[in-house]
């Protein structure tokens, strides 16, 4: 799940939403000045009324700010809401009462990160790792976010495994150095290697790279493996011994990417 972030106060960028190949994250939170949040909300309402797009997620403000009102205004459009700064499920009680829309959570507080397995709810389908906010909460310097630091490996691995434990989709962090495309590609490859399903993008160039790295598996090959195993049972192909675990893997690939 790769997405590109577009701020609700930027009419120029909003006008290009229908041409974007991928998921659009309409942003009302970070990146929108406080005095422009109401304008941003109205811009998003206007956009959704005239440009329906199934690949949209709405990033609201925190619930103790304007998030609840934003959900009430935007609920009718049926798109998923991304909710920031959540610590526990009890904080979402009013949200569950207002909307039945799909919910995504930003995992950026230390309470949420270290208690990830407690954040299960049928409406919650996606977690995003907000690594910069998490580092701020843990009083860790951002310069520790390097490829050589095992701390980063540990954070990514735990995030991916605990998220998948809940049956939720793990999405990696945004790389702020948007002109460093080589570095962005390396972070995408690293996060993919840990089972993370996609990342956030700031520019179309980042989105293009993310789509290349998080490429879907070959549907036809996976379908062939599944259908042949279901018909014949255990078999060998191209030096691969296909038994029950291999079959289940390819069936999972079909389900994850193509349902």
């Amino acid at each position: 799940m790769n997405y590109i972030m577009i701020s609700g106060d930027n009419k120029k960028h909003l006008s290009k939403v229908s041409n974007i190949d991928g998921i659009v994250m309409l942003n009302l939170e970070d990146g929108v000045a406080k005095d422009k949040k109401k304008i941003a909300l109205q811009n998003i309402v206007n956009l959704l009324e005239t440009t329906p797009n199934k690949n949209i997620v709405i990033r609201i403000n925190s619930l103790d700010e304007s998030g609840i009102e934003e959900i009430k205004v935007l609920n009718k459009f049926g798109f998923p809401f991304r909710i920031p700064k959540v610590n526990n499920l009890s904080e979402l009680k009013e949200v569950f009462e207002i909307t039945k829309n799909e919910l995504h959570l930003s995992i950026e507080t230390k309470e949420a990160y270290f208690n990830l397995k407690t954040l299960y709810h049928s409406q919650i389908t996606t977690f995003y790792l907000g690594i910069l906010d998490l580092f701020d909460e843990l009083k860790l310097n951002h310069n520790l976010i390097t490829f050589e630091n095992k701390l980063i490996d540990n954070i990514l691995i735990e995030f991916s495994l605990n998220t998948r434990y809940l049956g939720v989709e793990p999405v990696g962090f945004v790389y702020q150095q948007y002109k460093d495309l080589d570095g962005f590609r390396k972070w995408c490859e690293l996060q993919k290697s840990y089972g993370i399903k996609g990342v956030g993008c700031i520019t179309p160039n980042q989105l293009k790279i993310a789509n290349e790295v998080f490429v879907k598996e070959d549907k036809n090959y996976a379908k062939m493996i599944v259908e042949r195993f279901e018909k014949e049972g255990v078999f060998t192909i191209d030096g691969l011994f296909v038994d029950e675990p291999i079959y289940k893997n390819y069936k999972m690939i079909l389900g994850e990417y193509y349902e």
Side-chain angles (χ1 to χ4, degrees):
M1 177 182 167
N2 303 310
Y3 65 91
I4 188 165
M5 190 79 73
I6 296 182
S7 293
D9 60 335
N10 193 320
K11 285 190 174 182
K12 180 181 177 181
H13 291 171
L14 288 173
S15 68
K16 300 177 181 179
V17 164
S18 60
N19 298 322
I20 293 173
D21 180 21
I23 297 170
V24 175
M25 183 80 64
L26 298 177
N27 186 25
L28 287 164
E29 195 210 5
D30 293 349
V32 178
K34 288 187 176 181
D35 62 346
K36 293 184 178 180
K37 290 190 183 287
K38 289 186 178 180
I39 294 173
L41 177 59
Q42 187 57 55
N43 288 344
I44 289 176
V45 170
N46 294 340
L47 172 72
L48 298 182
E49 286 179 339
T50 58
T51 313
N53 187 321
K54 292 183 179 178
N55 293 320
I56 282 177
V57 177
I58 303 168
R59 185 189 191 193
I60 63 170
N61 286 283
S62 60
L63 301 177
D64 59 356
E65 293 180 346
S66 54
I68 291 294
E69 290 306 312
E70 290 160 0
I71 290 176
K72 290 178 179 178
V73 171
L74 298 167
N75 186 46
K76 63 182 179 180
F77 296 107
F79 294 111
F81 291 111
R82 174 177 174 177
I83 306 175
K85 307 296 189 293
V86 172
N87 295 306
N88 53 66
L89 280 185
S90 64
E91 296 176 348
L92 298 173
K93 184 175 183 294
E94 188 174 0
V95 175
F96 296 138
E97 293 171 352
I98 296 171
T99 184
K100 298 302 179 186
N101 293 4
E102 185 178 318
L103 300 178
H104 300 183
L105 302 186
S106 295
I107 305 304
E108 52 196 352
T109 71
K110 57 187 178 184
E111 288 83 2
Y113 178 80
F114 288 107
N115 296 285
L116 201 61
K117 290 181 180 179
T118 68
L119 297 178
Y120 175 78
H121 189 277
S122 59
Q123 283 176 246
I124 298 173
T125 64
T126 307
F127 289 153
Y128 305 86
L129 179 60
I131 199 164
L132 298 184
D133 288 305
L134 179 61
F135 265 52
D136 289 343
E137 286 233 332
L138 296 173
K139 302 189 185 311
L140 292 169
N141 196 307
H142 293 179
N143 64 19
L144 295 176
I145 304 174
T146 67
F147 295 106
E148 297 78 22
N149 193 341
K150 297 301 181 184
L151 173 66
I152 304 304
D153 293 332
N154 187 65
I155 289 172
L156 292 171
I157 291 167
E158 286 196 350
F159 171 72
S160 177
L161 292 178
N162 288 330
T163 300
R164 285 178 172 273
Y165 174 84
L166 296 178
V168 173
E169 185 165 282
V171 178
F173 61 82
V174 174
Y175 185 54
Q176 305 287 126
Q177 304 297 326
Y178 63 90
K179 290 186 178 180
D180 178 16
L181 297 180
D182 290 336
F184 176 73
R185 182 181 292 274
K186 287 177 66 178
W187 280 115
C188 286
E189 290 171 346
L190 179 67
Q191 293 185 81
K192 181 184 178 183
S193 74
Y194 292 142
I196 289 172
K197 295 289 294 296
V199 295
C201 303
I202 299 174
T203 67
N205 285 335
Q206 281 191 338
L207 183 62
K208 180 180 178 182
I209 290 171
N211 287 338
E212 290 172 359
V213 173
F214 292 91
V215 65
K216 295 177 179 180
E217 300 281 349
D218 184 346
K219 177 183 178 180
N220 291 328
Y221 186 81
K223 187 177 180 181
M224 180 274 293
I225 293 289
V226 168
E227 290 180 346
R228 184 170 171 183
F229 183 87
E230 290 178 348
K231 182 178 180 180
E232 303 176 15
V234 174
F235 67 97
T236 300
I237 182 172
D238 300 328
L240 174 67
F241 181 69
V242 180
D243 58 0
E244 186 79 15
I246 300 295
Y247 158 72
K248 287 181 178 179
N249 177 66
Y250 280 103
K251 192 168 185 179
M252 178 271 295
I253 287 171
L254 289 176
E256 275 197 333
Y257 293 121
Y258 300 105
E259 282 184 350

